[in-house]
Amino acid sequence: MKQVPIVVLDFGSQYTQLIARKLRESGVYTEVVPYRESIEDIKKRGPKGIILSGGPASVYAEDAYKPDEEIWNLGLPILGICYGMQLITQHFGGEVVAADHQEYGKAKLHIEDDNSLIFKNINQDSIVWMSHGDRAEKLPKGFSVVGTSENSPYAAIASEEKKIYAFQFHPEVHHSVEGTKLLKNFAKYICGCESTWNMGSFAKEKIAQIQKQVGDKKVLCGVSGGVDSSVVAAMLNEALPKEQLVCVFVDQGLLRKDEAEQVQDMFKLLDISLITLDAKEQFIGALKGITDPEQKRKIIGEKFIEEFDKEASRHTDVSFLAQGTLYTDVIESVSVKGPSKTIKSHHNVGGLPDWMTFELVEPLREIFKDEVRKLGLELGLPKHMIERHPFPGPGLAIRVMGEVNEEALRLLRESDAIMQEELRASGYYNKVWQAFTVLLNVQSVGVMGDNRTYDNTVCVRMVESVDGMTATFAHIPHDILESISRRIINEIDGINRVVYDISSKPPATIEWE
């Protein structure tokens, strides 16, 4: 088994994989395993340190998640985060209580012990992100307070002798300003890990894995033209002879304006053969009358597999299906690493049908969008491809609230195209992480000329993010928003109102469905 310097035990936090991502970003290879992982399997990885993640449960609940008791006897450095801190407090004889109210949001970390290696090069009053209900009330014997905040007298605790540390806050999320540095301090100064892992080594490792998994069989690679599937196609093109790779683009009628042509041009640029299938009628027909977003996703997932299956039958020895599945897709769809709660099914994860006969090839399954972009550059993909905004696999179907039909798609395509044009013209396209329009299927009264209208409302959604796990709405200058609104209303028959979404993730998600 591969040596893993840092092992993260997942207790169900939606942020767990961010811990691994931040450490890998710092050059320390890290893996996430379920909290219930056996001590034997943990030992096989040869870790130098263990991190206990956050989670939604209470340590006192009847079904509280508990790790193998032997982890406390390994003699390894341990870092507990939120729920992990409460586990440490409870295990070593301290007290945990339910807070009067949930603490959620930014806080200033006051460092009480400047000599603690965990705080090496960390600024006093550094901003950290709190998200918890329960909290430590009484510290275990041998532990001391090393950090406080206005509402958390035990924001950080430590037993320097045991090399066990715990944070009430989440260093892994983007809002904890020096969070990456805190995690790296644990890995480097407490555990003695070296920074040797990077996207170049990841690419070599995954290419070797693909060659071993596929052998002399063929792989059908489903591509959308987005960053993820394009990087997968480039990786497969690097790993396999051309005759073993069958790249298929399904035009399902749910794409943005002119996107099918752009995708085909992109693959010509990469010198990768691409088969384009026109399946607009099949997809739109299957979505008729469907309004539930989960049902939409599952129908689309199944239709994709049907199209891939039909295309595979035209070739010999196609045994594998390659997809651009990311960890954000996985963590929001199914609880694969631990007890994390399902947020929504993604068409290429929760939407895959039981009858599918392909074996999956998913080289990006454990990494995030920002890492995929770095990997794409490592593989030689042009920058303009890498900088494309994320686009969901189910396409515009999940940006139409309610039933998907041609008129709804027309309104959405045209409004999205105007918004993209204005963003690029203003230089803001690369300043936001993702931008799109949503058709609300809500009508309201308007006045155009001297006439009363009763037409559709479009919502503009723009967010700033690093990895898609957390996001804040983008603070776009009002004159740009005004241009977008004016053009959409004036140029598209059927829309008379434009609104701007100012919610962040969490509690909202980036996409509306």
Side-chain angles (χ1 to χ4, degrees):
M1 187 178 282
K2 180 177 179 176
Q3 293 297 289
V4 182
I6 300 291
V7 169
V8 180
L9 298 189
D10 178 15
F11 290 91
S13 169
Q14 296 296 335
Y15 305 135
T16 297
Q17 188 70 7
L18 294 180
I19 303 168
R21 192 187 66 77
K22 294 284 188 184
L23 283 166
R24 293 198 301 253
E25 199 175 78
S26 300
V28 179
Y29 184 69
T30 305
E31 283 186 3
V32 177
V33 300
Y35 71 89
R36 55 190 177 272
E37 190 86 344
S38 71
I39 198 68
E40 290 79 17
D41 285 340
I42 291 173
K43 282 180 179 177
K44 284 177 187 173
R45 290 176 168 83
K48 294 183 177 182
I50 292 175
I51 296 178
L52 311 178
S53 84
S58 167
V59 291
Y60 289 119
E62 192 175 327
D63 56 350
Y65 306 140
K66 299 288 178 69
D68 190 313
E69 284 293 310
E70 286 301 309
I71 70 157
W72 310 109
N73 302 323
L74 289 175
L76 293 173
I78 295 175
L79 171 63
I81 296 172
C82 200
Y83 183 82
M85 174 178 179
Q86 292 149 26
L87 279 172
I88 288 170
T89 302
Q90 183 189 60
H91 176 80
F92 288 100
E95 289 182 19
V96 176
V97 297
D100 296 333
H101 62 277
Q102 186 180 35
E103 186 181 9
Y104 179 80
K106 294 178 181 178
K108 289 181 180 178
L109 175 67
H110 184 78
I111 297 169
E112 301 289 345
D113 183 357
D114 291 330
N115 296 317
S116 180
L117 289 175
I118 200 76
F119 292 134
K120 189 175 176 69
N121 300 321
I122 301 296
N123 292 309
Q124 192 65 262
D125 291 332
S126 185
I127 298 297
V128 295
W129 186 260
M130 295 284 186
S131 180
H132 65 93
D134 293 358
R135 59 178 171 80
E137 175 78 1
K138 179 184 173 186
L139 294 191
K141 187 178 178 182
F143 282 76
S144 60
V145 178
V146 292
T148 61
S149 71
E150 186 178 354
N151 294 315
S152 294
Y154 301 141
I157 64 173
S159 169
E160 302 283 357
E161 182 187 349
K162 291 185 173 71
K163 290 190 175 181
I164 295 179
Y165 301 80
F167 299 148
Q168 185 61 77
F169 56 89
H170 287 268
E172 69 274 26
V173 302
H174 184 55
H175 303 301
S176 288
V177 176
E178 296 184 284
T180 301
K181 201 186 290 185
L182 283 165
L183 292 170
K184 189 174 181 180
N185 282 351
F186 174 72
K188 182 176 180 180
Y189 299 116
I190 311 298
C191 303
C193 299
E194 296 178 4
S195 298
T196 55
W197 189 81
N198 55 48
M199 293 316 291
S201 62
F202 176 83
K204 289 177 185 174
E205 178 189 321
K206 286 298 175 183
I207 286 169
Q209 281 182 14
I210 290 167
Q211 291 167 337
K212 184 178 179 182
Q213 181 185 4
V214 172
D216 59 358
K217 302 292 184 183
K218 288 179 184 172
V219 180
L220 189 147
C221 179
V223 301
S224 65
V227 176
D228 311 328
S229 60
S230 298
V231 169
V232 170
M235 190 176 280
L236 289 166
N237 194 48
E238 187 89 13
L240 303 171
K242 286 191 179 295
E243 61 271 15
Q244 282 183 250
L245 178 58
V246 181
C247 285
V248 178
F249 168 57
V250 178
D251 183 352
Q252 84 290 51
L254 304 170
L255 299 170
R256 290 168 290 195
K257 190 174 182 179
D258 301 326
E259 192 153 30
E261 293 79 8
Q262 291 168 10
V263 170
Q264 291 172 75
D265 290 344
M266 213 181 289
F267 274 75
K268 282 177 188 170
L269 190 66
L270 292 174
D271 193 27
I272 299 175
S273 296
L274 182 67
I275 297 167
T276 300
L277 305 177
D278 186 342
K280 299 185 190 75
E281 286 185 15
Q282 295 91 311
F283 277 78
I284 305 299
L287 291 169
K288 188 174 182 180
I290 304 299
T291 59
D292 178 70
E294 279 292 288
Q295 206 175 345
K296 286 183 192 176
R297 287 175 177 274
K298 291 183 185 296
I299 287 169
I300 291 167
E302 184 152 340
K303 294 305 290 181
F304 267 118
I305 298 302
E306 284 178 10
E307 292 302 317
F308 293 149
D309 201 49
K310 278 192 283 186
E311 183 58 36
S313 67
R314 300 186 183 106
H315 306 263
T316 55
D317 290 334
V318 177
S319 306
F320 298 89
L321 172 66
Q323 297 187 135
T325 308
L326 303 190
Y327 195 80
T328 42
D329 301 333
V330 174
I331 203 168
E332 290 184 338
S333 296
V334 286
S335 179
V336 293
K337 289 289 188 184
S340 54
K341 292 183 179 177
T342 298
I343 303 299
K344 58 189 176 184
S345 295
H346 287 259
H347 82 287
N348 54 351
V349 183
L352 296 179
D354 295 335
W355 52 263
M356 189 183 79
T357 57
F358 297 115
E359 184 179 334
L360 291 176
V361 176
E362 297 176 308
L364 311 181
R365 193 179 176 89
E366 297 296 325
I367 61 176
F368 284 81
K369 180 70 75 174
D370 57 320
E371 292 179 311
V372 174
R373 289 192 167 115
K374 289 175 187 173
L375 179 59
L377 292 172
E378 190 76 36
L379 293 166
L381 269 67
K383 199 173 179 185
H384 75 269
M385 281 181 64
I386 298 302
E387 290 175 345
R388 280 169 63 100
H389 286 182
F391 186 64
L396 299 181
I398 58 167
R399 292 177 181 173
V400 173
M401 303 296 102
E403 183 181 353
V404 179
N405 54 53
E406 291 294 352
E407 175 59 10
L409 290 169
R410 179 187 73 82
L411 295 173
L412 199 51
R413 272 196 197 97
E414 295 300 327
S415 62
D416 186 80
I418 288 171
M419 183 209 62
Q420 300 282 348
E421 282 175 22
E422 289 297 315
L423 274 187
R424 290 183 188 279
S426 65
Y428 264 80
Y429 183 85
N430 289 330
K431 292 180 183 179
V432 298
W433 195 76
Q434 189 174 9
F436 54 92
T437 59
V438 181
L439 183 68
L440 302 186
N441 265 321
V442 170
Q443 291 179 304
S444 65
V445 174
V447 179
M448 290 187 175
D450 293 324
N451 295 317
R452 175 189 184 275
T453 61
Y454 191 61
D455 281 331
N456 287 283
T457 303
V458 159
C459 174
V460 172
R461 176 73 158 145
M462 301 185 198
V463 297
E464 294 170 354
S465 182
V466 173
D467 43 49
M469 292 303 291
T470 60
T472 55
F473 71 89
H475 293 252
I476 302 296
H478 287 182
D479 60 331
I480 297 173
L481 293 176
E482 184 182 5
S483 292
I484 291 169
S485 175
R486 185 179 61 252
R487 282 195 59 197
I488 287 174
I489 292 170
N490 287 344
E491 296 177 28
I492 305 173
D493 184 29
I495 297 173
N496 68 354
R497 192 177 297 268
V498 174
V499 298
Y500 188 60
D501 184 345
I502 59 169
S503 49
S504 294
K505 175 185 179 180
T509 54
I510 295 175
E511 295 285 349
W512 275 50
E513 290 189 344

